[in-house]
Amino acid sequence: MIGNAVFRHYFTGDTTLSALESLTDHVRQTAMLDSVQSLLYWDERTYLPALGGDFRADQITTLSSMLHQRRTDPRVGEWLSELSDDAQVADPHSDVGTLLRQVRREYEKQTKLPQRLVEEVARYSVTGQQAWVEARKSDDFSKLAPFLEKLLSLKREQADALGYPETRYDALLDEYEPNARTRTVRETLERLRQDLVPLVQTIQDANRSAPIDHLKGHFPTAAQSKFGRSTATSIGFDFQRGRLDVTEHPFCTELGPNDCRILTNYDESFFPSALFSTLHEAGHGMYEQGLRTDQYGLPAGQYVSLGIHESQSRLWENQVGRSHAFWEHFYPTTQQVFKSAFGNLSIDDFYFAINDVRPSLIRIEADEATYNLHIIIRFEIEQELINDELQVADLPGAWASKYQEYLGITPPNDADGVLQDIHWSGGDFGYFPTYSLGNLYAAQFFEAADDALAGVDSLMRRGEFQPLLEWLRENVHVHGQCYSPDELIERATHKPLSHEPLMRHLRAKLEPLYLQ
Ligand code: ZN
């Protein structure tokens, strides 16, 4: 029982605690409150009735305010300064060294933010997301625009209060990918773009098209749900410590050391949507389930960055789930379950179809190759918004022209254009580049695992996913925040982050399909 161990001091009212014990208890109680807020968000995006929205915004604002007060409690500063010479700080990768480093980082940031700003951001993030649902449903950008204006002005204020090394965007990016710099990310994504665009062009010119019509048909939700659950179980998602539910926009959230929620969305007429989103979210979930429960609520037991989080979901979705070897194991069952659609379809045609590459409108449905172009568009646009170089009113037009420029297509409406993602309506500016960083980390981790395990394909063909999961546990999950993303990738792969493993992965898969 984690509760007894965690709050030993708190519940016994022990007043003779050391600074370290006091700080640890304080941080764990804050994490407890934070998990309650996550539960409210989870419920908001699953079951909350429409008219419950205002009260939910009040609840979340109240909790955000309490969390901010706890994180800026002057005692935290006192404990930190008392501990600044502690011998345990000397090893920055130890649990205690990590606790002190990360709490200090968070404390220094939070104390720069006025309480009023924190509350306003929380309130507008909830009401903005509610406005987004309406705006998207009615394809009416004007219903969201005022919320975006307000959120942008709050986010600019936040960036200015926090301070930044080079650009305002640095301060926002730091929320999701700690210590990442806009300039470095821009350079990495630019190298990726320079290699990707010609590859996509070559594929388009090749005149071979994947038989994607075979993925359409009738796939009853109940059968998809059963199949998705059993596949997620096979790769290692633990349903004793997690749940799979349904929502409009799939996601994963952790509500406690043994309570990880993943969500998917079923399309009865198109097979890949739910399955790949289930694999993706299960990948996120397995990262959460691989964190150390004895460190729950403390930095050593928390995910290190959204880029690393996304690497775990993309690795299971793409490097694993879209591989030929994976389907050599699962396709016979798939054919039995969905006999009318796949009974007579060869595995090679199925494999080609799920690896179809073509420029498309919707990010979450994009293939592995063009996906990063969707991200680069958003990354460029949000930098312009934050820097006040683009006005909200001009956003739909800017969106359409970038889609034309990078992908050669123009959205027919805003619902399938600028309104397709939830992020900006929730104030998440600076989040998008972590998706592409995740793709890069995923490819680099997978190459290293493939080497270490002497070929993951032969394992997958036999339905053995445990060795790969264990490699990820050892090299990524158990470290929590003890190493930064840069340190993790160096330790696990012996190289700094590069776009090359992803390009090698894409070429190795796509050239045989398209350029025979
Ligand atoms: Zn994800």
Side-chain angles (χ1 to χ4, degrees):
M1 283 297 292
I2 194 162
N4 293 339
V6 171
F7 298 116
R8 185 176 64 246
H9 310 301
Y10 181 66
F11 289 127
T12 56
D14 191 341
T15 52
T16 59
L17 300 184
S18 69
L20 182 60
E21 286 169 326
S22 303
L23 180 70
T24 306
D25 277 7
H26 184 84
V27 171
R28 285 191 129 139
Q29 286 167 39
T30 308
M32 183 71 77
L33 202 57
D34 201 18
S35 71
V36 173
Q37 190 178 47
S38 298
L39 179 54
L40 292 180
Y41 276 120
W42 174 84
D43 175 73
E44 192 209 348
R45 290 175 63 179
T46 46
Y47 299 118
L48 186 74
L51 293 182
D54 285 346
F55 186 70
R56 180 54 47 85
D58 288 343
Q59 290 175 306
I60 287 176
T61 306
T62 304
L63 274 176
S64 295
S65 169
M66 289 166 70
L67 279 162
H68 182 64
Q69 278 166 12
R70 292 190 59 85
R71 289 178 176 135
T72 55
D73 189 323
R75 288 177 304 165
V76 173
E78 288 161 23
W79 291 321
L80 286 171
S81 63
E82 228 180 286
L83 289 162
S84 58
D85 297 329
D86 194 287
Q88 298 177 91
V89 184
D91 178 2
H93 305 303
S94 67
D95 292 347
V96 173
T98 301
L99 170 77
L100 298 177
R101 180 183 69 245
Q102 296 295 79
V103 172
R104 181 180 306 281
R105 176 188 135 87
E106 194 59 24
Y107 179 73
E108 285 172 357
K109 284 178 69 168
Q110 295 275 335
T111 48
K112 290 177 183 165
L113 300 175
Q115 183 85 9
R116 179 224 21 106
L117 178 61
V118 172
E119 288 172 17
E120 272 198 277
V121 169
R123 180 172 300 282
Y124 277 91
S125 299
V126 177
T127 52
Q129 291 198 348
Q130 289 161 2
W132 169 76
V133 172
E134 275 310 303
R136 190 172 183 221
K137 213 184 288 170
S138 54
D139 183 27
D140 184 355
F141 180 74
S142 71
K143 288 183 179 162
L144 179 63
F147 292 89
L148 286 184
E149 306 254 19
K150 181 69 188 175
L151 280 162
L152 276 163
S153 86
L154 292 170
K155 286 285 162 172
R156 285 188 206 107
E157 191 186 339
Q158 183 180 319
D160 292 343
L162 289 170
Y164 40 81
E166 288 170 17
T167 67
R168 255 184 190 157
Y169 193 87
D170 284 334
L172 302 182
L173 179 62
D174 186 73
E175 291 288 293
Y176 311 102
E177 200 64 20
N179 304 319
R181 290 284 174 87
T182 311
R183 187 163 43 86
T184 319
V185 173
R186 201 190 292 136
E187 286 163 5
T188 307
L189 295 188
E190 179 54 24
R191 281 193 285 274
L192 177 64
R193 194 185 67 82
Q194 282 173 6
D195 282 357
L196 260 183
V197 170
L199 176 66
V200 171
Q201 192 57 52
T202 313
I203 287 171
Q204 285 189 279
D205 295 344
N207 235 350
R208 285 205 71 195
S209 65
I212 52 168
D213 282 346
H214 291 297
L215 302 177
K216 296 171 190 157
H218 181 60
F219 306 95
T221 294
Q224 287 196 64
S225 162
K226 196 168 162 219
F227 184 73
R229 267 164 213 279
S230 95
T231 314
T233 305
S234 303
I235 62 171
F237 183 81
D238 183 353
F239 279 93
Q240 295 292 314
R241 302 175 58 208
R243 278 182 62 91
L244 172 63
D245 292 277
V246 180
T247 186
E248 180 71 29
H249 209 79
F251 68 102
C252 165
T253 192
E254 168 269 299
L255 304 179
N258 293 302
D259 186 355
C260 172
R261 307 296 175 95
I262 58 174
L263 298 103
T264 191
N265 188 328
Y266 297 103
D267 179 344
E268 291 206 312
S269 60
F270 188 59
F271 176 75
S273 303
L275 181 72
F276 288 109
S277 88
T278 303
L279 290 175
H280 179 102
E281 302 307 336
H284 279 304
M286 291 186 309
Y287 180 23
E288 293 289 346
Q289 292 180 337
L291 294 168
R292 287 165 54 197
T293 50
D294 67 312
Q295 290 289 312
Y296 181 75
L298 302 178
Q302 276 171 334
Y303 76 87
V304 65
S305 77
L306 285 187
I308 295 293
H309 223 309
E310 188 69 5
S311 76
Q312 301 306 290
S313 58
R314 295 295 274 180
L315 186 147
W316 289 101
E317 176 191 358
N318 291 332
Q319 271 76 13
V320 173
R322 290 183 207 272
S323 70
H324 202 279
F326 177 90
W327 288 101
E328 284 170 51
H329 177 69
F330 283 108
Y331 196 56
T333 324
T334 315
Q335 283 184 302
Q336 278 168 16
V337 177
F338 305 105
K339 213 179 173 99
S340 62
F342 301 141
N344 294 318
L345 182 69
S346 73
I347 182 170
D348 289 343
D349 281 345
F350 176 82
Y351 170 70
F352 192 9
I354 59 168
N355 283 294
D356 172 54
V357 171
R358 72 185 72 199
S360 62
L361 287 171
I362 309 292
R363 174 184 62 85
I364 57 167
E365 291 166 11
D367 59 78
E368 276 183 86
T370 59
Y371 184 91
N372 295 292
L373 297 172
H374 291 259
I375 297 303
I376 291 167
I377 290 172
R378 288 156 175 77
F379 178 47
E380 290 180 358
I381 287 181
E382 58 185 16
Q383 289 176 71
E384 290 174 20
L385 286 168
I386 286 296
N387 294 337
D388 236 338
E389 294 156 8
L390 174 67
Q391 300 313 304
V392 168
D394 301 325
L395 182 50
W399 183 281
S401 70
K402 282 208 192 278
Y403 263 77
Q404 190 55 49
E405 187 187 340
Y406 288 130
L407 286 155
I409 44 177
T410 297
N413 54 50
D414 288 337
D416 291 330
V418 68
L419 291 174
Q420 67 181 268
D421 298 304
I422 194 170
H423 305 64
W424 292 340
S425 69
D428 287 325
F429 297 92
Y431 188 124
F432 280 120
T434 68
Y435 287 122
S436 281
L437 292 175
N439 289 332
L440 301 179
Y441 288 129
Q444 196 159 326
F445 282 135
F446 190 81
E447 263 192 3
D450 196 45
D451 244 21
L453 301 171
V456 173
D457 274 5
S458 56
L459 295 169
M460 293 199 288
R461 275 186 202 107
R462 298 197 295 269
E464 291 173 24
F465 299 96
Q466 197 60 25
L468 176 59
L469 181 56
E470 253 148 42
W471 188 91
L472 294 167
R473 293 254 190 271
E474 269 169 42
N475 286 282
V476 183
H477 304 180
V478 297
H479 298 301
Q481 298 179 355
C482 293
Y483 296 95
S484 70
D486 286 349
E487 289 167 339
L488 269 185
I489 198 95
E490 283 265 9
R491 280 173 56 92
T493 73
H494 311 294
K495 289 183 201 103
L497 181 67
S498 153
H499 71 295
E500 283 166 5
L502 178 62
M503 289 309 302
R504 275 196 288 276
H505 162 75
L506 292 173
R507 288 199 181 101
K509 176 189 280 185
L510 299 171
E511 287 175 359
L513 288 173
Y514 282 95
L515 310 177
Q516 281 172 355

